[in-house]
Amino acid sequence: MDCVTHFIGKVCARRICITVISTRDGRAKCGCAVLEGRSVWTRRWSSHADSSLTDEGPCTIDIWDTSLTYKQFIQGYAYNKPVIIRGLSDNTEFQLMCSKDHLLREFGERLVRLSTANTYSYQKVDVPFHEFVEYLLKPQSFSALGSETLYFFGDNNFTEWHSLFEKYHSPSYILPHTRGAYSFGIAGPGTGVPFHWHGPGYSEVIHGRKRWFLYPPNHEPKFHPNRTTLSWVTETYPTLTATQRPLECTIRPGEVLYFPDHWWHATLNLDTSVFISTFLG
């Protein structure tokens, strides 16, 4: 479905197949997602193949192209509900710098801080970036708990990663009296962060695809803080009635998702993905 003309509305269902291997301890040398239409970057990161998770889901979030004015953004979305905007900024150069080869060459020996992929992220571990890519950038095990899954997102040393971040063009529509702070991440298929909330911001996928689930502040979703988003999508999501379902959409390169203050949200990476958020505060 082509959804790229002015205001695009809702329900853009896009289906493709991804595959994730399930292992008891999540340590097996098994697989990455197998997807139609994956980017060259994603294929280069993916050295594996095999087994089961198949849906991008519907898109029930408003989608705009650059015809969305700042006034419309402030009045309709900034304090009210999420929105996806396509083509808001050109990050072609940043995308090229986020290739696997370039990141390993420039940052392979730098330490990155990994957090557990549960709601509270209690544990943090520092490892060289090349070790994260070689040993930890794997598909999510269906049986692993959030506390058993290490996730690279945020906790970035801005000084050490400055040469990369300075090439990123953040969304130009910001809230009055706020400034943006970046959080950069890379994650395997089936990984993600379970439901949580914080201040407003943007999420942009540089390579791959990321599925988002969002609830307004007054609608706390039912979830276990130490279960992964993958388990929630597999076990809880199918049982929800139409009125219980979140706003949701899968975003791709060239699209940014804006989430307002205090909105509950969870994410699920459908590919090996590179992504960056701009938190407004």
Side-chain angles (χ1 to χ4, degrees):
M1 177 179 292
D2 184 358
C3 297
V4 189
T5 53
H6 299 292
F7 172 67
I8 303 171
K10 299 179 179 179
V11 190
C12 296
R14 299 172 296 202
R15 287 190 169 278
I16 63 187
C17 230
I18 82 174
T19 63
V20 179
I21 293 266
S22 174
T23 62
R24 175 63 60 182
D25 62 2
R27 298 175 183 271
K29 290 184 177 179
C30 58
C32 215
V34 173
L35 306 132
E36 295 179 7
R38 288 182 301 161
S39 67
V40 171
W41 189 96
T42 302
R43 293 198 298 272
R44 286 176 178 171
W45 279 97
S46 306
S47 57
H48 314 92
D50 288 324
S51 198
S52 68
L53 178 64
T54 54
D55 205 348
E56 281 196 347
C59 183
T60 56
I61 297 174
D62 292 352
I63 302 176
W64 283 78
D65 65 7
T66 54
S67 63
L68 177 70
T69 66
Y70 181 66
K71 181 178 180 179
Q72 289 172 316
F73 168 74
I74 291 294
Q75 292 180 343
Y77 300 101
Y79 307 101
N80 299 311
K81 60 181 179 177
V83 63
I84 294 169
I85 311 174
R86 290 176 171 162
L88 193 57
S89 54
D90 181 1
N91 277 303
T92 303
E93 184 178 4
F94 185 73
Q95 186 179 50
L96 292 172
M97 293 181 70
C98 289
S99 71
K100 181 177 180 180
D101 289 344
H102 184 269
L103 289 179
L104 286 173
R105 182 172 62 251
E106 295 296 321
F107 304 103
E109 299 302 322
R110 308 278 179 90
L111 291 179
V112 294
R113 177 158 292 177
L114 311 179
S115 301
T116 51
N118 51 0
T119 295
Y120 304 113
S121 298
Y122 294 117
Q123 182 184 3
K124 296 184 184 294
V125 178
D126 292 335
V127 299
F129 178 65
H130 71 88
E131 290 187 9
F132 163 72
V133 171
E134 183 175 358
Y135 300 113
L136 298 172
L137 186 58
K138 305 292 183 184
Q140 177 70 58
S141 164
F142 283 93
S143 59
L145 297 175
S147 57
E148 299 168 341
T149 304
L150 291 173
Y151 196 68
F152 173 37
F153 178 60
D155 289 315
N156 306 122
N157 184 319
F158 188 85
T159 302
E160 290 196 354
W161 291 75
H162 177 70
S163 62
L164 179 66
F165 293 156
E166 69 178 356
K167 300 299 183 181
Y168 178 65
H169 298 288
S170 60
S172 55
Y173 290 177
I174 62 172
L175 304 184
H177 313 298
T178 65
R179 299 178 63 183
Y182 298 151
S183 285
F184 176 74
I186 303 172
T191 62
V193 178
F195 283 104
H196 63 288
W197 60 265
H198 45 63
Y202 288 95
S203 174
E204 181 168 359
V205 173
I206 306 304
H207 296 282
R209 297 165 304 139
K210 183 185 289 284
R211 187 175 175 184
W212 275 75
F213 308 90
L214 302 104
Y215 286 100
N218 61 352
H219 188 157
E220 181 175 353
K222 293 182 178 180
F223 71 101
H224 190 290
N226 199 31
R227 299 296 302 276
T228 64
T229 303
L230 182 60
S231 67
W232 182 85
V233 169
T234 304
E235 299 167 3
T236 303
Y237 180 85
T239 71
L240 300 177
T241 65
T243 58
Q244 293 172 328
R245 292 212 165 187
L247 289 178
E248 61 177 293
C249 200
T250 295
I251 61 172
R252 302 176 176 187
E255 300 175 330
V256 295
L257 181 146
Y258 170 79
F259 49 89
D261 190 20
H262 279 68
W263 273 64
W264 291 94
H265 56 277
T267 60
L268 182 68
N269 296 295
L270 300 185
D271 305 305
T272 298
S273 300
V274 179
F275 43 90
I276 187 167
S277 288
T278 304
F279 295 110
L280 302 176

